[in-house]
Structure formats: C-alpha cells, structure tokens
C-alpha cells in the first residue's frame, strides 16, 4: 500500500472546513484539493471561507478540470448532497483511492461502496466535535476524533494502516476501531435521538438537558434504534444509551446538533438518514417505531416549504 500524499475533501461545511484547515496547517498545502462545482468555486472565492475567524486559503478543483486522482478522499457533504457529490468526486477516484465518509447514519458507506467498489471504503465515524457553520463562517472549540476501521476484527486491511500513518503525520486525532458496525450504530442511535428532537422542538442542547417532553421523546427514539439494532445483530443496550446521555449532558447548552443547524439555516435536513432509515428497518423486521414515525412526519411538515 502506497503512502497517502494526495488528498481531496468534498463538502466544505462544518466538518470539511475543520479538517481542510487542519490539513493545511499541517503541511498538506498543494497536496490537498477541495472539490467544488463552478457555482461554489465562485462563491467561495468571492466570499471567502473562515475557520475560527481565520481565512482559509484552499486549493479548489472543479471536476471538469481534474488532472490527478487522489490517494484519500474525505466525503463531508450532508446526506441530501451525497449523490451529486459522488458524481463530482468520480474523476478523482482511481483503483487505489481510499474513501472515507464523515457522514452520520448507517447508509452512506453502502451507497459509496455501490458506486465505487467496496474495497475502496474505510468505515469511519466522526465523534465529539462541536463544529458549527453559519454562512461562510465555521467555529469549533473541540476537534473530536475520527474512529475508523473494519467490521471484522480479524480482517487485515492495509488501508487502515495507510490512513493511520497519514493521520499521524498530519496530527489528526483518531482511533482505530475494528468493530465499526457497532460504532456506526451507536452513533446512529444518538443522532436519531438528539438531532431529530432538537429540530422538532426547535431547541438547542439546553432543551434536551432538562427533563420534559423533548428529552423523553429523544430517549424513546433512541430506544427504538436499540430494538432495531437487536434485529440487525448489533445489540445496543441500556449501557450504550446511558453512555450517550452522559455525553449529551456534558455538551454546551447553547450548542446544537448539525440537523438543528440545517433547520435554523432553512435547509433540508438529513431526516431520511435518521427516522427515514428507522422506518425502513422497522418495516423490514416487523418492528413498530412510532416515535420515529412521529418525528419523520413533523420534520417533513416543517420542511414542506423548503
Ligand atoms: N457538524 C458536526 O458537528 C457533525 C456532522 N456530522 C455529519 O457529517 C456530515 C457533514 O456535516 P456538516 O459538515 O455539518 O455539513 P454542512 O451542511 O455544514 O456541510 C456540507 C457542505 O457540503 C457542501 N456540498 C454539498 N454538495 C456538494 C458538492 N456536490 N460539491 C461540493 N460541496 C458540496 C455544501 O456546500 P454549500 O454550503 O456551499 O452548499 C456544504 O457546505 C453530515 O452527515 C453530518 O450529519 C458528523 C459529526 C459531527
Ligand atoms: C453527536 C452530534 C449531535 C454532535 O457532534 C452530531 O453528530 C451532530 O451534530 O450531527
């Protein structure tokens, strides 16, 4: 496995800016390309892109002008933008490219595998960051980490060590985890709960810290994921639920999950990734998910005019 040198990011939002700026500050320079379409290119150059009030000098590349493929592609778009992003990123992918999806949920990797081949995908979960983007300004205080690895602890995958060695060089916080199916589901459980509930109850973390309808709805939605996980052989338990409640209780009350940020910005949310997936899995396994059905309906209604 060759050393990773050429890297591209598609999706210059909260996570894309955070990792893009980090890589630039750690010497990636001309080896980092930000994939954009023409409209975004013009907008980003006109308005600038800022990370914690510092201007970012990214090297933008449009798909039509792609000259080289990359060793590592980081996908950091929202779920609604995934299909187009995969089309735009295609010229940058060759048979050796490693692809990591920073998207929440349990669906993006399967979609990417179908598009580019399963051997290219390294499973990844973005954990613990508090990145928030408004307009062209992104702020964060906690960088969190990327957990990545395989589904199977016995699988030997040289791509994992190539990514780890690149992240070491670039000082990107990470953890290798070879039970990634569990990691993806565990994070899915918290997102289904907190992302959807803060959106529907139009609140920040303060709204789910106090006991009341919003917090109870969040927990009930997470419990439905726990039931689905059993049918899928993952077996999330009360311990996982309480782990996440503790994490959530420690978050800045003024902060908000990415889905609530979408709603504040008047953008379509990732509802299909969360309750949309729960409803589909509920149908598949004959498990009822009334709280997720309620959240799905509420969110769809809120998004009617977008
Ligand atoms: N924010 C967070 O703290 C966390 C987010 N996540 C997950 O990570 C994923 C990304 O989230 P986040 O960074 O918040 O998302 P954002 O909405 O902040 O950013 C997504 C960016 O993708 C850009 N984009 C969309 N389509 C394309 C395309 N075809 N080409 C180039 N750029 C494109 C958009 O550009 P433009 O703005 O110009 O339209 C937007 O800036 C989501 O799945 C989220 O759930 C996971 C953990 C934490
Ligand atoms: C866990 C949480 C809520 C914050 O990082 C997240 O993943 C998000 O905002 O989408």
């Amino acid at each position: 496995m060759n050393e990773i040198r050429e890297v591209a990011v598609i999706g210059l939002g909260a996570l894309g800016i955070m990792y893009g700026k980090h890589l630039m500050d750690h010497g990636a320079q001309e080896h980092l390309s930000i994939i954009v379409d023409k409209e975004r290119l013009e907008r980003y150059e006109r308005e600038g892109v800022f990370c914690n009030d510092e201007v970012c000098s990214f090297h933008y590349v449009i798909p039509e002008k792609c000259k080289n493929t990359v060793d590592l592609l980081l996908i950091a778009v929202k779920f609604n933008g995934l299909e187009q992003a995969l089309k735009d990123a295609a010229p940058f992918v060759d048979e050796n490219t490693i692809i990591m999806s920073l998207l929440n949920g349990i669906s993006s990797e399967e979609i990417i595998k179908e598009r580019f081949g399963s051997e290219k995908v390294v499973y990844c979960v973005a954990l613990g960051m508090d990145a928030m983007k408004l307009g062209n300004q992104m702020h964060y205080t906690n960088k969190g980490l990327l957990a990545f690895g395989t589904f199977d602890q016995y699988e030997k995958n040289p791509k994992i060590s190539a990514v780890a060695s690149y992240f070491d060089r670039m000082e990107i916080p990470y953890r290798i985890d070879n039970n990634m199916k569990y990691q993806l589901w565990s994070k899915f459980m918290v997102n289904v709960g907190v992302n959807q509930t803060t959106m529907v109850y139009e609140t920040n973390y303060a709204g789910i810290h106090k006991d009341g309808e919003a917090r109870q709805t969040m927990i009930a939605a997470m419990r439905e994921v726990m039931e689905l996980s059993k049918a899928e052989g993952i077996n999330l338990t009360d311990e996982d639920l309480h782990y996440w409640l503790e994490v959530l209780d420690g978050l800045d009350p003024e902060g908000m999950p990415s889905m609530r940020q979408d709603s504040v910005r008047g953008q379509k949310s990732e509802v299909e990734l969360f309750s949309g997936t729960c409803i589909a899995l509920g149908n598949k396994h004959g498990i009822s998910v009334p709280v997720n059905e309620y959240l799905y309906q509420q969110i769809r209604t809120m998004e009617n005019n977008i």
Side-chain angles (χ1 to χ4, degrees):
M1 186 86 236
N2 291 337
E3 191 176 73
I4 294 175
R5 275 176 67 77
E6 301 303 320
V7 175
V9 173
I10 187 158
L12 212 44
L15 294 192
I17 295 175
M18 188 180 81
Y19 282 110
K21 179 73 166 68
H22 179 103
L23 290 171
M24 292 301 280
D25 290 346
H26 288 76
Q29 312 310 338
E30 73 278 9
H31 299 293
L32 174 69
S33 303
I34 307 293
I35 304 171
V36 287
D37 50 59
K38 269 195 191 145
E39 184 276 318
R40 285 190 170 90
L41 174 68
E42 283 164 19
R43 178 156 43 91
Y44 296 165
E45 289 191 336
R46 188 175 64 243
E47 297 172 3
V49 173
F50 294 84
C51 175
N52 282 345
D53 302 319
E54 262 186 72
V55 69
C56 302
S57 310
F58 290 128
H59 166 59
Y60 299 112
V61 194
I62 57 172
E64 297 80 3
K65 297 225 168 126
C66 166
K67 290 202 185 87
N68 300 99
T69 53
V70 295
D71 304 314
L72 175 65
L73 169 66
L74 296 176
I75 302 186
V77 297
K78 284 267 168 57
F79 190 59
N80 308 321
L82 183 61
E83 208 182 304
Q84 183 60 45
L86 297 186
K87 277 187 200 145
D88 293 348
F92 299 82
V93 175
D94 67 22
E95 68 277 13
N96 296 316
T97 304
I98 298 171
I99 306 178
M100 289 169 80
S101 160
L102 309 188
L103 274 77
N104 275 322
I106 53 175
S107 321
S108 67
E109 272 95 353
E110 297 316 307
I111 296 171
I112 298 166
K113 277 160 71 175
E114 238 171 70
R115 178 70 179 73
F116 291 116
S118 59
E119 72 292 347
K120 295 192 180 56
V121 175
V122 165
Y123 290 99
C124 176
V125 176
L127 294 167
M129 52 281 300
D130 54 6
M132 299 232 291
K133 186 186 168 215
L134 217 48
N136 59 349
Q137 304 278 339
M138 197 284 286
H139 289 95
Y140 73 92
T141 50
N142 196 341
K143 218 170 247 180
L145 61 83
L146 296 179
F148 64 90
T150 59
F151 272 13
D152 172 359
Q153 56 173 320
Y154 299 110
E155 184 188 328
K156 294 267 168 286
N157 185 343
K159 293 189 167 77
I160 306 293
S161 25
V163 173
S165 133
Y166 180 69
F167 283 4
D168 282 336
R169 282 197 331 271
M170 291 292 152
E171 297 181 25
I172 289 188
Y174 75 90
R175 181 179 84 215
I176 295 180
D177 191 306
N178 287 331
N179 195 359
M180 282 303 294
K181 195 163 186 185
Y182 164 79
Q183 285 302 332
L184 286 163
W185 268 84
S186 175
K187 180 85 192 290
F188 178 57
M189 175 163 75
V190 67
N191 289 132
V192 165
V194 71
N195 290 31
Q196 301 193 112
T197 306
T198 50
M199 178 167 172
V200 167
Y201 288 85
E202 301 183 317
T203 184
N204 48 18
Y205 290 123
I208 53 95
H209 283 164
K210 58 175 192 287
D211 201 14
E213 196 180 310
R215 188 175 175 89
Q216 291 313 317
T217 303
M218 174 181 81
I219 293 173
M222 289 167 79
R223 285 200 177 284
E224 289 182 355
V225 174
M226 211 188 280
E227 285 315 302
L228 294 170
S229 81
K230 287 177 186 145
E232 289 277 314
I234 312 296
N235 298 318
L236 295 172
T237 63
D238 269 6
E239 212 178 303
D240 299 294
L241 177 80
H242 290 119
Y243 164 79
W244 281 116
L245 291 180
E246 253 180 56
V247 171
L248 292 175
D249 288 342
L251 295 177
D252 176 4
E254 299 301 318
M256 57 181 96
S258 51
M259 190 162 181
R260 169 74 176 134
Q261 291 176 43
D262 290 335
S263 150
V264 169
R265 291 191 294 234
Q267 288 173 355
K268 272 215 188 301
S269 76
E270 294 183 297
V271 65
E272 291 302 337
L273 202 53
F274 302 135
S275 47
T277 304
C278 289
I279 292 165
L281 285 171
N283 289 338
K284 173 180 163 194
H285 294 294
I287 295 172
S288 71
V289 289
V291 180
N292 274 288
E293 275 167 8
Y294 166 76
L295 291 169
Y296 186 84
Q297 289 312 328
Q298 293 296 311
I299 293 167
R300 278 271 171 250
T301 307
M302 289 169 88
E303 291 183 343
N304 252 348
N305 298 323
I306 300 178

